[in-house]
Amino acid sequence: MTKKSEGTLVDGLEDREGGVARRSPWPWWRSPWLYGLGALVVFNLIYALPRYLSFDPVLSRTRIDPGFALHYPVVVAHVVAGNVALVTVFVQLLPWVRRHRPGLHRISGRVYVFAGALPASLLSLVLLPYSTAPMGKLGLATMAVLWIATSLAGLRAARQRRYVDHRRWMVYSFALAMGTSWGRVISQFAIPGNGIDVAVFFDISSWMGWVVSLVAAYLWLERTTPRRRVPAGR
């Protein structure tokens, strides 16, 4: 068996786990979800990040607890890490980067995990006791734990060269990374004038954003994941 026949390329990465039947790659410029993700990243960089980089607690959208001296610095660190995660998600999902710049793909992946996903999710767990939304706490805690688990599973799969599994776990991780952002967009544009109590709507959006993202990720993976060839006679 030749080196080339040991596996095929899956999104620019060699799959050594066996034969994989690839579908024809869909041109990235014909992927509307990529434009939506880009708009979401820009929205966060323009709308959410500057108010926290001012280091003025008055501008915080999170109510600061005076009994927790480090509350505001932790909020700022969480927001910064979250934005790092979103920017690197966008880089990771660009097909051109995966296929032609594997080195950049690996570096941005490590930045995503260690400077984005892990610190953002861990800091969110630190902040949860000070949240003013009782139901939202459970939703955000569940999302944070799943974000940690999927990110570490994706990193482990990549190190073991199980690239199909790596792709699946990281898509779920990316979906969770966008969960709170969708919730923020919903809260920002849907609450005014809708007659729903703000606290109740926040609780709903704390679940809705990441659950919808995970369902969408699952459906997309089912449609695009390469199917393994089954040898004749089995």
Side-chain angles (χ1 to χ4, degrees):
M1 179 181 291
T2 64
K3 189 74 172 179
K4 183 177 181 179
S5 64
E6 291 179 6
T8 56
L9 294 180
V10 179
D11 287 335
L13 294 174
E14 188 174 355
D15 171 31
R16 302 180 188 275
E17 300 177 60
V20 176
R22 291 195 63 196
R23 300 182 181 184
S24 299
W26 188 264
W28 68 268
W29 59 87
R30 295 175 59 186
S31 302
W33 60 267
L34 199 57
Y35 295 102
L37 175 58
L40 186 64
V41 172
V42 172
F43 170 81
N44 277 276
L45 290 176
I46 293 177
Y47 176 76
L49 188 60
R51 68 172 59 234
Y52 292 99
L53 292 182
S54 68
F55 301 104
D56 184 356
V58 176
L59 298 178
S60 174
R61 292 179 60 84
T62 300
R63 184 178 300 174
I64 304 301
D65 188 334
F68 179 24
L70 295 178
H71 193 182
Y72 183 68
V74 172
V75 169
V76 172
H78 168 70
V79 171
V80 171
N83 278 270
V84 169
L86 285 178
V87 171
T88 48
V89 162
F90 185 74
V91 174
Q92 291 296 90
L93 290 179
L94 286 174
W96 182 86
V97 171
R98 295 198 307 273
R99 292 171 186 152
H100 303 289
R101 291 292 182 271
L104 176 59
H105 178 80
R106 287 191 292 269
I107 292 171
S108 61
R110 292 188 182 99
V111 172
Y112 167 78
V113 172
F114 294 111
L118 293 184
S121 53
L122 290 172
L123 289 172
S124 70
L125 293 175
V126 174
L127 294 170
L128 279 180
Y130 304 94
S131 172
T132 57
M135 291 175 58
K137 288 182 181 181
L138 180 58
L140 293 175
T142 304
M143 189 200 76
V145 171
L146 290 176
W147 196 8
I148 294 170
T150 54
S151 300
L152 292 178
L155 179 65
R156 182 170 181 267
R159 289 180 171 175
Q160 294 176 345
R161 298 182 179 274
R162 295 184 290 110
Y163 294 123
V164 173
D165 291 337
H166 167 70
R167 175 179 182 265
R168 178 173 290 275
W169 283 118
M170 294 313 294
V171 167
Y172 285 137
S173 175
F174 297 161
L176 289 162
M178 294 182 286
T180 53
S181 297
W182 292 125
R184 187 178 298 115
V185 171
I186 293 170
S187 301
Q188 177 65 22
F189 295 107
I191 287 179
N194 62 11
I196 301 176
D197 181 80
V198 174
V200 173
F201 200 91
F202 178 79
D203 286 338
I204 295 173
S205 66
S206 296
W207 288 91
M208 183 184 299
W210 64 267
V211 171
V212 171
S213 292
L214 277 186
V215 171
Y218 171 79
L219 295 175
W220 185 76
L221 282 168
E222 286 298 300
R223 180 176 180 273
T224 62
T225 297
R227 305 300 179 187
R228 297 184 182 280
R229 294 190 186 96
V230 179
R234 287 192 180 182

